[in-house]
Amino acid sequence: MNEDAKIYLAGHRGLVGSAILRSLQIKGYTNIITRTHAELDLLNQDAVHSFFTTEKPGYVFLAAAKVGGIGANSTYPVEFLYLNTLIGFNVVHAAYTAGVKKLMNLGSTCIYPKMAEQPIKEESLLTGLLEPTNDAYALAKISVIKLCTAYNKQYGTNYLSVMPTNLYGIGDNYDLENSHVLPAMIRKFHEAKVSGVNQVVLWGDGSPLREFLYSDDLADAVVYLMEQKNAGDIHHSAGDFINIGSGQELTIKELAETVRSVVYAQELAMGNTSPDRVCHITWDSSKPNGTPRKLCDVSRLSTLGFTPKIGLCEGITKAYTDFLNEDYCK
Ligand SMILES: NC(=O)c1ccc[n+]([C@@H]2O[C@H](COP(=O)([O-])OP(=O)(O)OC[C@H]3O[C@@H](n4cnc5c(N)ncnc54)[C@H](OP(=O)(O)O)[C@@H]3O)[C@@H](O)[C@H]2O)c1
């Protein structure tokens, strides 16, 4: 990609899209086209087609999607399947019609079978049953990945898909109804601190193992792949896609303790009290733990030369600073 290459970034205001925008701008790309949802509804096939025909971008990042946590996924399977399939199919097909050189499709590790062997390799796609609470979303994502691979196979296009692990970062969703675990913890500890309650109740028993990646690391990986690699470089028997993760796992309990150490950093710095006295964590074991372990195998990404830079404590500190600056609780 040349610095003046015309790049369409779909979903530029989301967690992932905004991080990709920052990464592209830092690297000096100057010709980035964006449209808000209101300006271009990606569900509208005619509008998408006309946009691509008029703008003729050379490169596309597809980071627009209907996204939500476990509650939203299991309550609204129609929206998660229908909207995500339509958005993906409209954009990928229009990109082909307009002769786009290269496309980067954002998938998710929820595409993998519920009982996939850990760490999860790309080849485990479609080797078992999906997690039922998000199978609608996963099926939409799988369809778009397969469509990209099909275009590559049938028409020799250069469409890559990435499967990021759990993400967090600047501009995250802190709505307790539909946020992911890490931003929900930031909000809960923050609210406990400002209200002086100094106690939080968290779901499950804290034992599940999870992996997290700071959104700017994901964005740098995605831009790196777009710049340096082709679909053929990430091709394997299950398709043209690649995992993106930190490769590091920790328990939910360790995550909670890390978030607490960031939110209560000043109090703990005084050094005359224990973290548990500063804020007590109660585990509500009547609530589900979810799958016991979920970790991506990122050996393919490492082999291609990318390693994330931002550690968990540093990333949570950046996210909490953004949370404080933006006042997401309003
Ligand atoms: N967040 C994670 O932990 C995570 C993990 C793995 C993979 N991913 C993947 O990364 C991608 C982006 O996720 P995200 O977390 O950044 O989501 P997000 O913060 O909810 O952002 C989604 C973006 O999509 C846009 N959008 C939704 N429907 C649209 C439509 N019909 N027309 C035009 N734009 C539309 C939204 O625009 P408006 O703001 O204008 O509505 C928003 O900018 C998704 O494919 C997701 O599967 C995310």
Side-chain angles (χ1 to χ4, degrees), residues 104-165:
M104 174 64 67
N105 167 44
L106 268 293
S108 160
T109 50
C110 73
I111 61 162
Y112 292 118
K114 181 182 168 75
M115 304 310 287
E117 192 183 324
Q118 305 284 329
I120 309 173
K121 289 189 189 319
E122 288 88 350
E123 285 81 356
S124 61
L125 180 69
L126 294 175
T127 57
L129 293 175
L130 296 166
E131 159 62 42
T133 51
N134 61 22
D135 60 355
Y137 183 65
L139 280 168
K141 290 281 171 196
I142 292 168
S143 300
V144 182
I145 295 160
K146 288 286 180 189
L147 185 67
C148 289
T149 302
Y151 270 108
N152 290 342
K153 189 175 162 197
Q154 191 172 334
Y155 295 115
T157 51
N158 198 3
Y159 300 163
L160 296 80
S161 298
V162 289
M163 303 307 119
T165 189

Side-chain angles (χ1 to χ4, degrees), residues 43 57 63 68-69 93 106 108 112 123 135 141 151 173 180 186 195 227-228 246 269 272-273 278 280 317:
L43 297 171
H93 180 65
L106 268 293
S108 160
Y112 292 118
E123 285 81 356
D135 60 355
K141 290 281 171 196
Y151 270 108
N173 171 12
H180 293 119
I186 290 181
S195 66
E227 288 173 331
Q228 310 275 341
S246 61
N272 54 1
T273 183
V278 165
H280 180 71
T317 304

